[in-house]
Amino acid sequence: MGSEALFNSLFDQWAEDYDQAVAGGHPEYIEVFEGYANILKSVVDSLALPKGSVVMEFGVGTGNLTSLLFAEGYRVIGIEPSAAMREKAKAKLPDLELHEGHFLNVPSGLPSVDAIVSTYAFHHLTDEMKDQALRDLVKRLNPGGKIAFADTVFRDEGTKLAMQREAEERGFHELALDLKREYYPVMSRLERAFCQAGLTVRMKQLNRYVWLMVAELNREA
Ligand SMILES: C[S@@+](CC[C@H](N)C(=O)[O-])C[C@H]1O[C@@H](n2cnc3c(N)ncnc32)[C@H](O)[C@@H]1O
């Protein structure tokens, strides 16, 4: 089963309240979304591309990162599997070029791009799917192109288990289930996925959960 089949209904339901959650309105997710605006800005700042550059965004959601990309003067091609999320993004950004699709299913006929970005979405893929997605994505990049993601990553398996336990102990049952059900990677495995796709990745922690990942093609790749 594809990840889109697993998580679409969840995001169709979450679309209505999503912007409240990122603003701190969901008590269990306050730490996950802590510094949300800065997290999105870090992704955009890491690109430093000329105006008019083409950026492909995966898991657009309600269009919050997209708005910042537009403000930088980039052309954005959005990919989003959830119909309800696409509706929200289009309501906010009527001119957005937005396609139904996901990391492993990009509509045909789209141009190559200068950057690929995503926030809070890469963890929907299993480790093996992440490997495949990165191998596919590098083929879409123009020379000198970049990939910039921000998402939950754990330093190691011990930290991941401790954070799951902590969520349970705090009575954060939804978060605890989410941390177990989805495919939050550990750092070494994620670095291997980027490396195997011919990318050099730099990682920086932005809050207790979320890391910025900025990857560029190796020169010999
Ligand atoms: C937590 S929201 C993040 C939305 C937005 N990027 C943000 O930072 O606020 C995750 C988004 O990823 C989308 N998504 C789920 N599975 C995906 C996949 N396999 N590929 C791309 N996007 C996916 C969901 O529909 C949802 O809109």
Side-chain angles (χ1 to χ4, degrees), residues 3-4 7-8 11-12 14 18-19 22 33 36 40 57-65 79-83 85-86 101-104 118-125 150:
S3 59
E4 76 286 4
F7 298 118
N8 257 3
F11 283 105
D12 283 346
W14 207 14
Y18 184 74
D19 279 345
V22 302
F33 289 120
Y36 177 75
L40 304 193
E57 182 187 350
F58 285 89
V60 164
T62 58
N64 295 331
L65 176 65
I79 311 285
E80 168 57 55
S82 152
M85 286 294 197
R86 287 198 302 278
H102 57 83
F103 279 109
L104 293 167
S118 182
T119 50
Y120 292 92
F122 201 43
H123 66 270
H124 296 308
L125 304 183

Side-chain angles (χ1 to χ4, degrees), residues 14-218:
W14 207 14
E16 200 50 47
D17 301 334
Y18 184 74
D19 279 345
Q20 284 166 29
V22 302
H26 191 315
E28 298 194 16
Y29 282 83
I30 286 174
E31 287 186 345
V32 175
F33 289 120
E34 191 184 342
Y36 177 75
N38 276 332
I39 288 170
L40 304 193
K41 187 172 179 303
S42 302
V43 169
V44 176
D45 288 350
S46 75
L47 301 181
L49 293 166
K51 283 190 193 316
S53 296
V54 184
V55 178
M56 183 172 279
E57 182 187 350
F58 285 89
V60 164
T62 58
N64 295 331
L65 176 65
T66 329
S67 300
L68 299 186
L69 294 166
F70 276 155
E72 287 299 305
Y74 298 144
R75 173 187 163 195
V76 182
I77 302 172
I79 311 285
E80 168 57 55
S82 152
M85 286 294 197
R86 287 198 302 278
E87 213 173 287
K88 285 278 169 201
K90 283 299 268 188
K92 225 181 256 181
L93 303 164
D95 294 335
L96 172 62
E97 177 184 340
L98 186 56
H99 300 272
E100 178 176 3
H102 57 83
F103 279 109
L104 293 167
N105 180 20
V106 179
S108 58
L110 297 181
S112 60
V113 299
D114 302 304
I116 295 170
V117 299
S118 182
T119 50
Y120 292 92
F122 201 43
H123 66 270
H124 296 308
L125 304 183
T126 65
D127 283 344
E128 292 69 30
M129 288 171 170
K130 290 187 192 79
D131 293 340
Q132 185 60 51
L134 288 171
R135 282 196 298 266
D136 293 349
L137 295 185
V138 295
K139 296 182 194 146
R140 298 189 171 275
L141 284 176
N142 290 328
K146 284 182 189 172
I147 295 179
F149 292 166
D151 203 357
T152 291
V153 178
F154 294 107
R155 273 187 194 280
D156 49 42
E157 290 293 347
T159 311
K160 185 172 176 172
L161 281 175
M163 298 285 268
Q164 283 172 3
R165 257 199 311 271
E166 183 190 292
E168 278 161 5
E169 282 164 13
R170 293 169 89 181
F172 291 175
H173 301 299
E174 200 176 323
L175 176 62
L177 178 67
D178 176 3
L179 293 177
K180 285 183 188 158
R181 179 184 52 195
E182 302 215 19
Y183 310 109
Y184 297 103
V186 297
M187 201 181 306
S188 57
R189 181 64 182 82
L190 191 61
E191 283 171 337
R192 176 144 57 97
F194 279 100
C195 180
Q196 283 173 351
L199 294 155
T200 299
V201 66
R202 284 176 292 122
M203 307 211 18
K204 184 183 170 198
Q205 191 162 19
L206 300 178
N207 70 22
R208 277 191 90 204
Y209 288 85
V210 174
W211 289 68
L212 173 69
M213 299 152 244
V214 182
E216 291 177 70
L217 281 171
N218 296 330

